[in-house]
Amino acid sequence: MNRPLIKSTLLKALEAAGAILKRSLGQREASTKDSALSLVTATDKAAEKMILETIKAEFPDHAFLTEESPAEGRSSSRWIIDPVDGTTNFAHTFPMACVSIAFEQDGILEFGGVFDPFRDELFIAEKGQGAFLNGEPIHVSANATLSQSLLCTGFPYDRRERADFYLSIIKAFIMEVHGVRRTGTAALDLCYVACGRFDGFWEVKLNAWDKAAAMVILEEAGGRLSDFSGNPLTLDGIQNLASNGLVHDEMLEVLKPYKEM
Ligand code: IPD
Ligand code: CA
Ligand code: CA
């Protein structure tokens, strides 16, 4: 594995796609995909094309899992790409969205990069090498009590069918914490846990591309990832819980009634 080339290619792709997002905000050109709530814009497609071209120029034989095109390639080296995480925000000109790219070798997530071009914030991590925000090392918060936590969550795309279920989890948490936020971009939510802005995050039904890059970043920043029963989080896991580690068990306790779903 050519680590320096993977890292420089990852950075190049994040920057190039981020520039597309930044200059395209305000173009309200969304159409729907598989459900009325699942949007896609010309920017999602343009950013994805740019990312694929940038990476394939260096690694034409690698495999790719991307949100807006079918998976391609058969290789133990795989890139997992969300060209715009936060498409609904983006389509409404709410400037909270990012580009998320992970690199996996033999099933192990080795690199993760998340770039928010609206705040010029680049989160990057390499397995075993720590996590960084704009070049500075980051770490999860030191808050050890759920009652003093700021949490974040997201509403999955089946929220109209299961509104009561999702709202009851939110209700359970707001009784316990300082606050609960919903930003509309799971990748940044996880990065915000990684750098201590949030103490914890939960969401069900994320896709691999929503979380792969930020999983590396969070783990390298000292956080913990699991399902609602405390088992390690996997890329295809449905229940996603992330925290600074210190409030994790308390979060699991709140989620206990919801772990069978
Ligand atoms: C979505 C965002 C959102 C989360 C959804 C994701 P997209 O990704 O991460 O925060 O709640 O579950 O699908 O569609 O903007 O790439
Ligand atoms: Ca996404
Ligand atoms: Ca997306």
Side-chain angles (χ1 to χ4, degrees), residues 116-134:
D116 171 358
F118 306 107
R119 282 161 204 77
D120 247 319
E121 291 193 329
L122 173 67
F123 296 86
I124 189 112
E126 176 178 353
K127 197 172 173 52
Q129 304 297 318
F132 299 84
L133 165 54
N134 290 348

Side-chain angles (χ1 to χ4, degrees), residues 32-237:
T32 53
K33 291 194 286 193
D34 28 307
S35 84
L37 295 178
S38 178
L39 305 182
V40 61
T41 70
T43 304
D44 294 75
K45 292 179 180 161
E48 184 166 293
K49 185 165 178 278
M50 169 65 81
I51 293 165
L52 287 173
E53 279 171 11
T54 305
I55 300 173
K56 284 180 183 176
E58 298 293 350
F59 303 106
D61 301 329
H62 283 185
F64 296 88
L65 177 66
T66 57
E67 179 168 12
E68 310 302 343
S69 356
E72 50 173 308
R74 290 172 68 85
S75 162
S76 52
S77 307
R78 182 166 77 141
W79 298 80
I80 304 171
I81 299 163
D82 192 341
V84 181
D85 188 53
T87 294
T88 305
N89 288 345
F90 187 85
H92 289 267
T93 73
F94 182 68
M96 183 97 199
C98 63
V99 185
S100 171
I101 306 176
F103 176 78
E104 181 194 67
Q105 181 64 48
D106 299 313
I108 294 174
L109 290 166
E110 294 284 350
F111 288 85
V114 173
F115 180 42
D116 171 358
F118 306 107
R119 282 161 204 77
D120 247 319
E121 291 193 329
L122 173 67
F123 296 86
I124 189 112
E126 176 178 353
K127 197 172 173 52
Q129 304 297 318
F132 299 84
L133 165 54
N134 290 348
E136 297 294 325
I138 53 172
H139 205 269
V140 290
S141 71
N143 168 37
T145 42
L146 189 61
S147 63
Q148 291 178 21
S149 293
L150 183 63
L151 304 182
C152 184
T153 190
F155 308 129
Y157 281 112
D158 65 349
R159 55 188 172 267
R160 288 186 180 169
E161 293 74 45
R162 307 198 72 203
D164 289 342
F165 178 77
Y166 296 132
L167 289 174
S168 64
I169 304 181
I170 291 178
K171 183 175 178 192
F173 273 117
I174 57 175
M175 306 305 281
E176 307 282 340
V177 300
H178 276 173
V180 175
R181 302 288 178 261
R182 193 288 197 252
T183 73
T185 152
L188 283 178
D189 294 341
L190 289 162
C191 288
Y192 281 21
V193 178
C195 69
R197 293 173 185 167
F198 294 137
D199 304 296
F201 164 81
W202 81 95
E203 181 168 350
V204 298
K205 299 193 175 158
L206 292 174
N207 290 298
W209 47 76
D210 299 316
K211 59 185 172 180
M215 282 169 71
V216 189
I217 295 164
L218 183 74
E219 281 194 325
E220 287 300 317
R224 181 173 163 198
L225 292 159
S226 78
D227 67 10
F228 292 178
S229 302
N231 306 305
L233 181 65
T234 56
L235 272 186
D236 54 6

